[in-house]
Amino acid sequence: MQTVDTSLLFRYFVVAGLINTAVAVVLLLVRRRRSAPFLLLLALMMLVSFQALLNAFDHRGFFLAFPHLSRVSWLNLSLFGPLVYLLTRKMTGDGPRLYLRDAWHGIPFLIALGVLSPWFFQSADAKRQLLMDFEGLSKLDFGWMNQVNLCMISVYLLAAVYRLTRWKRTLPADAPPQQALRLRWLHLFLTSLLVILGISALGFFGRKWDLPGITHFYHYNYAAIVVLVYWLTWKCQHMPELFTEEEKSEAKKYRKSGLAEPVLLFENLRRFMKENRPYLDPELTHAALADLLGVKRHHLSQVINTHSGGSYFDFVNGYRVEAVKRMLADPRNHHLSILGIAMECGFQNKATFNAAFRKVTGTTPSAWQKDWMEMRYEPMGAVDGTRHGS
């Protein structure tokens, strides 16, 4: 029976991941605004995909054919931590642009480049002579430089987690939905990276000390990284509001949108929301709603921002709040919890629901329900006649 070459399958998987990332990056650069978080994320995606490619083809034949790619992976590692940290900073209140002070985080890369320069400046033939002893030379992959890289990545990831924790404490209870969305996404993103870093560390020292059972972790932890890149690509395509800032001037933003009848589109949108109730889907995204309407996403943004006076999240959550109010007012739902009703109406968590409800009504869900009950059961003589249409 013919056996499957798992290393070959892994290489195909990594190559497919790199091609997918490259195509996605080109498409995203063409379609989206180039904010700092967005560009940092695309750079990170390309970096980890290329690093996974170098790792997947880590054998003598590959580097004899492409000697100038040897030890490039050492240099790449000096960029990984700074990119993750800067991405976290830019998504947690440090502004949508890159500043001169951010250049300090390029120092590890410059130091690594200086250390590796003697190797990089050698001729291809000289490198091939040294690479003939590939097994011996590969032991240097686990030397002091990559141990420093591993420690530096750990420090940067922990600094990013600390930054996220501090930012979370500063968020008000009624923080905009976009900020709550960013908080959840960054928490999942950084947690995933810490898990992958732990697997990488096990694989690194497993190879260095030839520990049985975990020596292969060094290569195959990159499969998790490629999966992470696919996830990032999907988020960039379907939830670009994670990485972009709303512009202050709506007139400037939509001056060249090309939308002929925005009022008609907005009326169609309101009718669609009322009749089809897509807001009940907690996973409804900006792009998904545009697809349901059969319009371009930026046209949908235009009519929502200019005609509703709020963002996409404000608009959709407004319908969800009204649905919650209707259910709270229905005596048949009194056995349900307020949070349970909110989940049925499309909200994903308590914090987002409470913030949206207060923004629409000016009060809390429980206070609104209490006031409505008191009004409903108030004696007829005490009620203003206009309340009953008299």
Side-chain angles (χ1 to χ4, degrees), residues 49-270:
S49 296
F50 184 52
Q51 184 76 355
L53 182 73
L54 292 175
N55 185 273
F57 289 87
D58 187 14
H59 57 82
R60 187 173 69 170
F62 177 80
F63 286 111
L64 286 177
F66 306 100
H68 292 305
L69 290 180
S70 60
R71 301 194 183 178
V72 170
S73 61
W74 298 15
L75 189 62
N76 289 346
L77 291 175
S78 66
L79 289 170
F80 183 79
L83 282 174
V84 172
Y85 178 71
L86 284 174
L87 174 64
T88 304
R89 283 189 63 93
K90 299 303 173 184
M91 293 183 68
T92 55
D94 195 38
R97 298 192 303 274
L98 290 169
Y99 303 101
L100 185 59
R101 64 175 182 269
D102 298 325
W104 286 103
H105 296 286
I107 290 178
F109 173 80
L110 295 178
I111 293 174
L113 183 62
V115 172
L116 292 170
S117 290
W119 173 266
F120 288 152
F121 285 121
Q122 290 189 65
S123 66
D125 289 337
K127 289 177 181 178
R128 287 192 179 97
Q129 289 295 323
L130 295 171
L131 287 167
M132 292 301 294
D133 181 20
F134 188 75
E135 293 301 322
L137 202 63
S138 294
K139 292 180 180 179
L140 296 177
D141 288 344
F142 307 96
W144 70 268
M145 187 169 183
N146 281 334
Q147 292 181 52
V148 170
N149 278 330
L150 191 61
C151 291
M152 183 182 67
I153 292 171
S154 301
V155 169
Y156 266 109
L157 284 184
L158 292 176
V161 171
Y162 177 69
R163 167 78 183 192
L164 180 62
T165 303
R166 285 186 58 192
W167 183 64
K168 179 181 178 180
R169 291 172 183 166
T170 65
L171 290 179
D174 58 346
Q178 185 185 31
Q179 292 186 343
L181 185 67
R182 284 187 171 189
L183 178 64
R184 293 195 302 273
W185 183 85
L186 278 170
H187 182 268
L188 179 60
F189 175 61
L190 294 177
T191 301
S192 301
L193 289 180
L194 286 170
V195 170
I196 292 173
L197 179 65
I199 297 173
S200 299
L202 283 174
F204 181 88
F205 290 107
R207 282 284 298 273
K208 178 177 175 62
W209 297 325
D210 197 22
L211 300 177
I214 61 174
T215 56
H216 295 294
F217 281 20
Y218 175 68
H219 285 294
Y220 292 100
N221 75 85
Y222 279 97
I225 290 178
V226 175
V227 170
L228 181 65
V229 168
Y230 273 102
W231 178 66
L232 292 174
T233 303
W234 185 86
K235 285 292 184 181
C236 285
Q237 290 280 8
H238 294 277
M239 303 189 74
E241 57 269 18
L242 275 171
F243 316 105
T244 56
E245 301 288 339
E246 292 187 6
E247 295 188 29
K248 295 181 179 179
S249 173
E250 295 298 329
K252 179 179 178 181
K253 181 178 180 180
Y254 298 120
R255 185 170 52 195
K256 299 181 180 180
S257 71
L259 181 58
E261 298 182 346
V263 176
L264 179 60
L265 176 55
F266 187 62
E267 290 302 320
N268 291 338
L269 170 62
R270 291 172 60 186

Side-chain angles (χ1 to χ4, degrees), residues 173-174 180 184 338-340 342-343 346-358 364-366:
D174 58 346
R184 293 195 302 273
I338 294 178
L339 182 58
M343 296 300 176
F347 286 101
Q348 289 186 313
N349 58 70
K350 183 178 180 180
T352 302
F353 164 58
N354 286 336
F357 196 94
R358 181 182 288 274
T364 64
S366 57

Side-chain angles (χ1 to χ4, degrees), residues 289-328:
L289 181 56
D291 288 341
L292 289 172
L293 284 167
V295 300
K296 295 180 179 179
R297 183 184 174 279
H298 65 277
H299 286 165
L300 180 62
S301 297
Q302 177 179 348
V303 298
I304 289 176
N305 293 344
T306 56
H307 293 279
S308 75
S311 67
Y312 163 79
F313 288 105
D314 293 333
F315 179 75
V316 173
N317 284 339
Y319 279 90
R320 289 169 177 160
V321 168
E322 292 303 318
V324 169
K325 288 166 63 178
R326 288 193 296 271
M327 291 191 68
L328 289 177

